[in-house]
Amino acid sequence: MLDLSKNYDPNQNAAILASLANNPSMVVQETAALFKQFHQKEFSAPKVVKKRVSLSEMFFRLFSKRSKLSIPPIMNVDSQGMVYPEWIDLLNNEFTKLQNRAIKEVNIIDYGAIGDGLTDCTAAFQKALGMGSVKVMIPKGIYVTKGIRLPSWTILEGAGKGVTTIKLHDDAPKGTRLITNANHWRGNHHLFVGSLSLDWNVERLGDSPKTSTWGNHSSCLTYANVTYGWVKDVEAINPGLHCFDISSTLYNYAGDGFRARGGSMYVWLDHLNGYGFGDDGITTHHSDNIFISNSHMCDPSGRAHQKGFSNSNGIEIDDGSRNVLLVNNSTARCFGGVEIKAHENSSAAANIQIVGHISVNDNRSYNFRHIGHHKSTDAESKTAFNIMAANLLCIAPIFSDLYKDSTPRGLVVSAYKNVVINQFTLIGDPYYDYKGNPVMAIQYRARNVVLKNILIKDFKTAGAGIKVLGGENRAESVRICDVEIENSSPKSIDVGQGIQDIKIENSSTKSVKTYR
């Protein structure tokens, strides 16, 4: 099994994932073609469930806008097979502008900082950053601070992960963000953070049962209302909430159909490592055009949640996020590897694309859901649309103390419409007790789901390889093509009762159980 420890180099992911597909570029193109062929622009009007608007929803609507569904952006593939968003040239041009603007280069040592792991360097960072238009270099050492706020047109660069470390001061409040932008309300732009480690110093809280406060606080790095941002070659250590949070000014709970104002836009996260996080490794909220590549998140503490009920995900694309592309990332030993979701009182993430991901020992490797919009008695989601995923790898999902009652799954799709997953390899542990649970579940009013080129092997004690839930909360409009199941449960595909539109083609499995 792959050893995806906290020091794992995620730049290896591309080569590992390339071995699963003969031609990764063709898989990406095929996935996009499948989505174009099968996605539906319109569905019947969602069932209206009358619900009184709460006071909190009324408050958040002051800072929100209506959510509008758009088509997913185009993915571009270069000659080396690397995938980029269609707006990458725009972002590269803006980075050139940042380099030209931040022509003043300073060394933090010259402003009184001492990298001894003891001296408070907060004032030194404030002086060095000034009003922005500056490149601040941080040499080898451990620099203690009570928090850093970045003005626009700023480059903050160290000497490398594990070489330069910025550490939160022992006296910093629980809600402190180690690095964030200077003004969440007016917003900031053109920010780069790179080549360093960020230590949130959770040890300063002792045995506190909860390590975070509220909203987008308590994280190693938070971009809130940032346009044109980069975070590259950065390690995040033991944050109270998130390692990296690309967010709006406020998390917004105005209800399904609304998104926050002041979201971030055009942000690239690349070659990041994170571990020990209280909630999620990388998360996005109410932000657009986010690119996450070659990053690895593992081993959360889960301490932002009640013990045993920790929804701590390696990468979480959350409330109101739009046009997010994930390429060649990895996760290990989290509750969810990649979770695409929303809370009941917020809009779902939409137009999400995943190209290459490795999940090892995550409880739910890939989990797509809009909470509170699953059952026939719930209001149908207005916003949970459009997920494309290609060249995924799931290795040995397991039961987890993070969420004690959650059963292992390679994939769960709930409430989302227009989901295409192509080239998906799931490898279980033949000696592990999966207690008869299915490996993959399409359920809870998911609609228009396409699964193609699926290999499931070594789940000997699991139930069905693919279970499509029937009954009142049934999935609908499901296509399952080119499935191979080896050394696993004899029940390969289990189709529940009452599903009217399901097609199964070119399956090499011998057991397809259906109820119509």
Side-chain angles (χ1 to χ4, degrees):
M1 184 183 296
L2 293 174
D3 179 21
L4 270 62
S5 64
K6 65 182 183 181
N7 295 319
Y8 172 75
D9 181 3
N11 281 332
Q12 301 177 63
N13 289 340
I16 294 169
L17 289 161
S19 67
L20 301 178
N22 293 329
N23 191 329
S25 298
M26 288 298 295
V27 172
V28 172
Q29 295 171 16
E30 182 184 51
T31 305
L34 283 168
F35 185 88
K36 185 176 181 179
Q37 177 183 357
F38 289 110
H39 91 283
Q40 296 181 31
K41 296 180 181 179
E42 296 182 2
F43 289 85
S44 58
K47 178 182 177 181
V48 177
V49 176
K50 291 185 178 180
K51 177 179 174 291
R52 179 176 294 179
V53 178
S54 67
L55 289 176
S56 64
E57 287 177 335
M58 291 176 64
F59 168 78
F60 281 113
R61 288 185 187 184
L62 298 173
F63 308 97
S64 67
K65 55 189 175 183
R66 290 280 183 177
S67 178
K68 295 182 180 180
L69 183 66
S70 61
I71 61 172
I74 298 169
M75 294 179 286
N76 295 325
V77 184
D78 68 11
S79 59
Q80 304 300 315
M82 183 61 184
V83 179
Y84 296 96
E86 62 180 349
W87 43 265
I88 194 64
D89 288 341
L90 168 65
L91 192 62
N92 288 338
N93 289 336
E94 295 299 329
F95 186 68
T96 299
K97 292 180 183 179
L98 171 59
Q99 290 177 309
N100 293 336
R101 182 71 175 263
I103 55 175
K104 179 184 178 183
E105 182 173 323
V106 302
N107 190 312
I108 194 66
I109 299 296
D110 295 334
Y111 290 82
I114 302 174
D116 60 1
L118 299 172
T119 303
D120 185 352
C121 302
T122 306
F125 278 100
Q126 290 174 342
K127 292 176 184 177
L129 291 166
M131 300 299 291
S133 298
V134 65
K135 180 177 182 178
V136 178
M137 302 300 297
I138 315 168
K140 180 179 180 181
I142 300 174
Y143 299 83
V144 175
T145 175
K146 293 178 180 177
I148 297 172
R149 301 176 69 86
L150 304 177
S152 300
W153 301 108
T154 293
I155 297 173
L156 187 71
E157 189 167 355
K161 295 177 184 175
V163 180
T164 297
T165 299
I166 299 176
K167 184 175 181 179
L168 206 52
H169 194 285
D170 284 345
D171 294 337
K174 184 186 293 188
T176 303
R177 310 170 184 93
L178 182 49
I179 292 182
T180 191
N181 52 299
N183 196 311
H184 290 189
W185 288 100
R186 289 199 302 268
N188 293 100
H189 55 88
H190 295 88
L191 301 178
F192 177 95
V193 176
S195 301
L196 45 77
S197 294
L198 302 175
D199 184 352
W200 197 76
N201 188 18
V202 73
E203 294 82 4
R204 75 188 193 282
L205 303 182
D207 295 329
S208 174
K210 184 176 173 64
T211 56
S212 64
T213 54
W214 63 280
N216 57 29
H217 292 72
S218 309
S219 296
C220 281
L221 183 144
T222 298
Y223 280 172
N225 197 1
V226 167
T227 302
Y228 308 127
W230 300 261
V231 185
K232 296 196 173 188
D233 299 302
V234 175
E235 175 189 40
I237 303 169
N238 299 332
L241 190 66
H242 303 131
C243 293
F244 307 93
D245 187 350
I246 309 305
S247 176
S248 52
T249 303
L250 295 174
Y251 291 173
N252 192 283
Y253 303 107
D256 187 20
F258 293 88
R259 298 180 70 219
R261 297 184 185 276
S264 295
M265 295 189 296
Y266 301 109
V267 177
W268 186 359
L269 310 179
D270 183 59
H271 197 214
L272 308 181
N273 286 74
Y275 54 89
F277 35 96
D279 190 13
D280 305 312
I282 298 173
T283 188
T284 67
H285 298 84
H286 299 281
S287 297
D288 296 87
N289 302 324
I290 310 301
F291 183 25
I292 304 169
S293 59
N294 309 305
S295 295
H296 177 61
M297 301 289 129
C298 67
D299 301 306
S301 73
R303 289 176 62 190
H305 302 271
Q306 180 183 348
K307 187 174 182 180
F309 299 91
S310 179
N311 182 42
S312 291
N313 304 295
I315 300 176
E316 179 185 78
I317 312 303
D318 206 351
D319 301 329
S321 301
R322 293 292 176 94
N323 303 336
V324 181
L325 173 61
L326 291 75
V327 177
N328 294 338
N329 301 296
S330 54
T331 53
R333 297 170 296 279
C334 303
F335 167 65
V338 176
E339 182 168 75
I340 301 171
K341 86 168 213 304
H343 296 88
E344 178 182 2
N345 53 357
S346 190
S347 293
N351 291 351
I352 312 303
Q353 300 164 319
I354 310 170
V355 179
H357 187 92
I358 302 171
S359 166
V360 174
N361 290 153
D362 296 318
N363 177 258
R364 299 210 159 177
S365 299
Y366 305 91
N367 195 13
F368 310 152
R369 58 182 180 148
H370 193 174
I371 298 168
H373 298 271
H374 294 167
K375 298 180 180 179
S376 60
T377 53
D378 296 335
E380 189 172 346
S381 176
K382 303 174 185 177
T383 52
F385 284 86
N386 301 346
I387 297 173
M388 279 186 281
N391 208 14
L392 305 183
L393 175 59
C394 159
I395 298 180
I398 58 172
F399 289 93
S400 173
D401 290 339
L402 289 166
Y403 216 117
K404 61 182 181 180
D405 295 326
S406 179
T407 54
R409 297 278 194 280
L411 170 72
V412 178
V413 181
S414 306
Y416 266 89
K417 305 174 179 71
N418 297 337
V419 178
V420 174
I421 299 174
N422 183 27
Q423 193 72 49
F424 188 8
T425 302
L426 303 97
I427 303 172
D429 179 348
Y431 303 105
Y432 190 79
D433 186 4
Y434 290 102
K435 301 185 183 301
N437 289 292
V439 180
M440 304 168 67
I442 313 301
Q443 60 183 25
Y444 289 148
R445 300 164 80 189
R447 296 171 67 185
N448 208 33
V449 178
V450 178
L451 304 178
K452 183 175 173 61
N453 296 319
I454 310 297
L455 171 62
I456 300 173
K457 62 184 296 185
D458 295 338
F459 285 89
K460 294 184 70 173
T461 62
I466 303 173
K467 182 177 179 65
V468 184
L469 188 74
E472 290 185 356
N473 305 320
R474 64 184 175 275
E476 198 63 82
S477 299
V478 179
R479 292 163 178 81
I480 301 173
C481 314
D482 303 311
V483 177
E484 184 176 353
I485 299 183
E486 302 175 358
N487 194 34
S488 296
S489 167
K491 185 194 296 182
S492 56
I493 301 175
D494 187 349
V495 179
Q497 188 172 11
I499 300 174
Q500 301 300 314
D501 181 14
I502 184 165
K503 295 181 180 179
I504 301 171
E505 300 175 347
N506 301 327
S507 173
S508 67
T509 62
K510 297 180 180 180
S511 173
V512 178
K513 184 176 182 180
T514 63
Y515 299 91
R516 299 293 179 90

